[in-house]
């Protein structure tokens, strides 16, 4: 036998009634066979009598109305539960979305916080570096102040030298202007002297030409006179040569006379030495 109050049996009968109300017995048998004997079992394998089954089916028919009511009630409750589930699901999704948004905002805030911390650290490093840089700049400013004071002194010295140079330049400009005036004056004087020199040169050239003409005439006269003097000189030289030849001849003649006189004296002395006898002339060897 089987328990009529078994939930499995009740569920099988309710399913068979709902699936095919006209074939309740066959469906119930098949359902019961499927429950107790497997999916391929036949109604003959069910261990119950037909009367028990009919009474059970009568009971099931009686309970069908209550089951339908319970089913409708369960459907309404299920619809409400489904609606509540959908609302809860939508709320849950909304909460999940809100949670995701909050998490994303938290991650963003965490990232911003980390970035802010990094920026703070970077600002601290920058402030430290800036403090060091400011200290270095202060040292440089002190050095630059010293250099600037030195440059001021140099500038004042340079300004004084520029003033001296300016005075010198003004004096040089005045001297240059004066020199330009003197140069223009000298240039005018030079031009006048040049013109005067040209006139004097022309006059001197005319005078020189006149003198050259006169000198040429005098030179021609002198040449004629020189030619005459040369001719006289030649005549005098010829006369002098004749005279010198005559004087040489006279000298030779005087020498011959002196030799002859000496020979006479010697001859007289020899004659006197020989006692008045004329000696023979001396032998003159002629080769």
């Amino acid at each position: 036998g089987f328990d009529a109050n078994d939930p499995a049996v009740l569920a099988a009968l309710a399913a068979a009634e709902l699936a095919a109300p006209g074939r309740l017995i066959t469906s119930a048998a098949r359902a019961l066979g499927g429950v107790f004997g497997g999916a391929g079992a036949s109604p003959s394998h069910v261990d119950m009598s037909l009367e028990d089954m009919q009474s059970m089916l009568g009971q099931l028919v009686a309970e069908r109305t209550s089951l339908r009511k319970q089913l409708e009630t369960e459907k309404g409750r299920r619809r409400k539960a489904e609606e509540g589930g959908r609302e809860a699901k939508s709320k849950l999704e909304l909460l999940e979305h809100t949670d995701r948004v909050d998490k994303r905002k938290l991650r963003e805030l965490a990232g911003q916080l980390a970035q802010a911390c990094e920026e703070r650290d970077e600002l601290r490093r920058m402030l430290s570096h800036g403090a060091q840089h400011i200290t270095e700049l202060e040292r440089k400013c002190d050095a630059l102040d010293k250099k600037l004071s030195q440059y001021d002194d140099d500038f004042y010295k340079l300004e004084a030298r520029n003033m001296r140079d300016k005075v010198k330049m003004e004096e040089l400009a005045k001297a240059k202007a004066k020199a330009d005036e003197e140069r223009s004056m000298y240039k005018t004087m030079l031009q006048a002297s040049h013109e005067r020199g040209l006139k004097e040169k022309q006059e001197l050239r005319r005078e020189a030409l006149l003198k050259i003409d006169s000198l040429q005439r005098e030179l021609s006269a002198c040449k004629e006179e020189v030619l005459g003097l040369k001719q006289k000189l030649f005549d005098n030289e010829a006369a002098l040569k004749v005279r010198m030849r005559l004087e040489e001849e006279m000298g030779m003649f005087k020498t011959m006379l002196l030799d002859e006189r000496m020979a006479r004296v010697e001859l007289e002395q020899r004659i006197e030495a020989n006692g008045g006898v004329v000696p023979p002339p001396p032998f003159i060897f002629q080769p």
Side-chain angles (χ1 to χ4, degrees):
F2 63 90
D3 190 2
N5 295 320
D6 190 358
V9 175
L10 293 175
L13 292 174
E17 180 64 20
L18 290 173
R23 290 180 295 177
L24 177 62
I25 297 172
T26 305
S27 299
R30 288 177 180 176
L32 290 172
V35 170
F36 297 102
S42 63
S44 61
H45 295 89
V46 179
D47 190 11
M48 67 171 59
S49 63
L50 184 60
E51 290 81 4
D52 293 333
M53 185 175 290
Q54 287 179 354
S55 63
M56 184 185 64
L57 289 176
Q59 187 179 358
L60 287 174
V61 170
E63 291 179 355
R64 184 177 61 182
T65 305
S66 62
L67 289 174
R68 286 182 177 177
K69 291 180 180 179
Q70 291 179 2
L71 183 61
E72 293 294 332
T73 304
E74 186 66 25
K75 286 181 179 179
R77 188 172 64 252
R78 185 176 294 175
R79 283 195 298 272
K80 290 181 180 180
E82 289 177 356
E83 291 177 357
R86 285 194 296 271
E87 291 179 357
K89 186 177 181 180
S90 63
K91 289 181 180 180
L92 183 61
E93 290 178 356
L94 180 61
L95 288 174
E96 288 178 354
H97 288 301
T98 305
D99 190 15
R100 285 197 295 271
V101 170
D102 292 337
K103 287 181 179 179
R104 186 170 61 251
K105 287 183 178 180
L106 286 174
R107 286 194 298 272
E108 291 177 356
L109 289 174
Q112 292 177 0
L113 181 60
Q115 185 177 2
C117 291
E118 291 178 358
E119 291 178 355
R120 183 190 62 189
D121 296 335
E122 184 66 24
L123 287 174
R124 285 180 178 177
R125 288 193 296 272
M126 290 175 65
L127 287 173
S128 177
H129 182 69
Q132 295 177 0
H133 187 62
I134 288 170
T135 306
E136 185 67 24
L137 288 176
E138 287 178 353
R139 287 198 297 271
K140 289 183 179 180
C141 285
D142 294 334
L144 289 174
D145 289 334
K146 292 179 181 179
K147 287 185 179 180
L148 185 61
S149 61
Q150 185 178 359
Y151 289 158
D152 290 335
D153 296 336
D154 294 337
F155 176 74
Y156 291 140
K157 291 178 182 179
L158 183 62
E159 190 70 21
R161 189 174 66 184
N162 289 332
M163 289 298 294
R164 290 194 298 271
D165 293 339
K166 186 177 180 181
V167 172
K168 287 182 181 179
M169 291 297 291
E170 290 176 354
E171 291 177 355
L172 289 173
K174 291 179 181 178
K176 184 179 178 182
K178 187 176 180 181
D180 290 336
E181 292 178 357
E182 291 179 355
R183 185 177 64 181
S184 62
M185 182 176 66
Y186 290 151
K187 187 176 181 180
T188 305
M189 292 172 65
L190 184 61
Q191 289 177 356
S193 63
H194 183 65
E195 293 175 356
R196 187 170 61 252
L198 289 176
K199 291 180 180 179
E200 291 177 355
K201 188 176 181 180
Q202 292 176 359
E203 291 177 357
L204 290 172
R205 182 175 293 175
R206 285 195 298 270
E207 291 177 358
L209 289 174
L210 293 173
K211 287 182 179 180
I212 287 170
D213 292 335
S214 62
L215 288 173
Q216 284 180 355
R217 287 192 297 270
E218 290 178 359
L219 182 61
S220 62
C222 288
K223 284 182 178 180
E224 291 176 357
E225 186 177 359
V226 167
L227 289 174
L229 291 173
K230 282 184 178 180
Q231 188 64 36
K232 287 181 180 181
L233 183 62
F234 290 152
D235 294 340
N236 291 329
E237 286 181 354
L240 182 62
K241 288 180 180 179
V242 172
R243 185 177 178 179
M244 288 176 67
R245 189 172 60 251
L246 291 174
E247 286 180 354
E248 288 179 358
E249 290 178 355
M250 286 177 69
M252 291 174 63
F253 184 72
K254 285 179 179 181
T255 303
M256 290 174 66
L257 288 176
L258 182 61
D259 290 338
E260 187 178 355
R261 187 176 292 174
M262 291 296 293
R264 284 180 181 181
V265 171
E266 185 180 357
L267 183 59
E268 288 177 355
Q269 289 177 358
R270 289 176 66 186
I271 289 170
E272 289 178 355
N274 289 325
V277 181
V278 178
F283 178 76
I284 300 173
F285 178 75
Q286 292 182 357

